[in-house]
Amino acid sequence: MKNKAKLLATPYLVWMVIFIVVPLGVVVYFAFTGDDGKFTLSNLGEITTYLPTFFDSLSLAAVSAFICLLIGYPTAYVIAKAPANRQRFLIMLIMLPMCMSFLLRTLALVAMLEDQGIINNLLWSLGLNRVSLIRRPSAVILGMVYNYLPYMIMPLHSVLVKMDSRLIEASQDLGCNGFKVFSKVILPMSVPGIISGVTMVFVPAVSTFYISKKLGGTSTAMIGDIIESQFKTSYNLNVGAAMSLVLMVIVLICMGIMNKFTGDGEVDLL
């Protein structure tokens, strides 16, 4: 039986080695070598120049994940409490934008926010002055929330919909009001969904580059933009690989910290 299990796992292991282990090894190699192929730590030293960009990327991603949580939690709760047929319809509405290309969704947002875009033209037609909505950090955050919000709603919904309603009824019988029911029962049991949703939003947000390029200005460049420029503009593969490696380590550390708060989902009514 064990030999059969190993045999069935072989395609996955081969896939993992080819598309995960080998690319990661290539990144590590370039990160710790120079143009001459010799070992060096100078590539990591050059990253200190871009520390403010690292912090900006982390802060923008964290704000985006928090906003997604504020919007996604009540949305997921409402969907989870809806009848089964309506749930399927609402889930379809949430997932429908994901069927469109990520690039097209971002370009559609650009068409709405730009100086001669839909919103400003509407304001102008109403006799109001045009406002600057693009090329600023708030536009980048809006773009990330718009693109990654479904990744927050889906894990939250999967946890909330499986929640045992008898626990809520029991807490109400014990005298808990609406706030205590939420804080003592619903919220602790939904922590795994919150952690999963925050992770699924934060990880792609902190490494994004297309959203910041289209919606942000020169002052809102993210670390993904710098990495892209190292490969496509500066042609400095070694520094780009070092920055990619450091970003990956930061993401793994953040994920590890968030997983520490997952807990075991126990309910305490005292």
Side-chain angles (χ1 to χ4, degrees), residues 108-134 142:
L109 196 58
V110 172
M112 293 181 62
L113 299 179
E114 61 185 353
D115 297 336
Q116 299 295 328
I118 297 174
I119 295 178
N120 272 313
N121 286 338
L122 178 61
L123 293 175
W124 183 259
S125 65
L126 295 176
L128 302 175
N129 293 328
R130 300 179 187 272
V131 293
S132 178
L133 300 174
I134 205 170
L142 176 61

Side-chain angles (χ1 to χ4, degrees), residues 224-262:
D225 300 306
I226 306 300
I227 294 175
E228 184 195 25
S229 66
Q230 293 294 331
F231 285 101
K232 290 187 175 182
T233 305
S234 303
Y235 299 104
N236 196 335
L237 303 182
N238 304 98
V239 175
M243 296 177 70
S244 301
L245 185 63
V246 171
L247 178 60
M248 182 175 60
V249 172
I250 291 175
V251 168
L252 291 176
I253 292 174
C254 293
M255 291 175 61
I257 293 174
M258 286 187 287
N259 288 333
K260 289 293 184 181
F261 294 94
T262 301

Side-chain angles (χ1 to χ4, degrees), residues 2 78 108 244:
K2 291 183 178 180
V78 170
S244 301

Side-chain angles (χ1 to χ4, degrees), residues 58-76:
L58 291 172
S59 61
L60 290 176
V63 171
S64 301
F66 180 71
I67 295 175
C68 284
L69 178 61
L70 291 181
I71 300 174
Y73 196 101
T75 303

Side-chain angles (χ1 to χ4, degrees), residues 41-70:
L41 296 176
S42 60
N43 299 323
L44 297 176
E46 293 190 30
I47 296 178
T48 56
T49 307
Y50 304 102
L51 284 180
T53 306
F54 271 100
F55 291 126
D56 290 343
S57 299
L58 291 172
S59 61
L60 290 176
V63 171
S64 301
F66 180 71
I67 295 175
C68 284
L69 178 61
L70 291 181

Side-chain angles (χ1 to χ4, degrees), residues 142-164:
L142 176 61
M144 291 192 288
V145 171
Y146 170 68
N147 279 289
Y148 301 132
L149 182 59
Y151 298 123
M152 177 67 72
I153 295 176
M154 297 309 298
L156 284 171
H157 171 264
S158 66
V159 171
L160 292 172
V161 76
K162 297 176 183 177
M163 191 174 296
D164 192 347

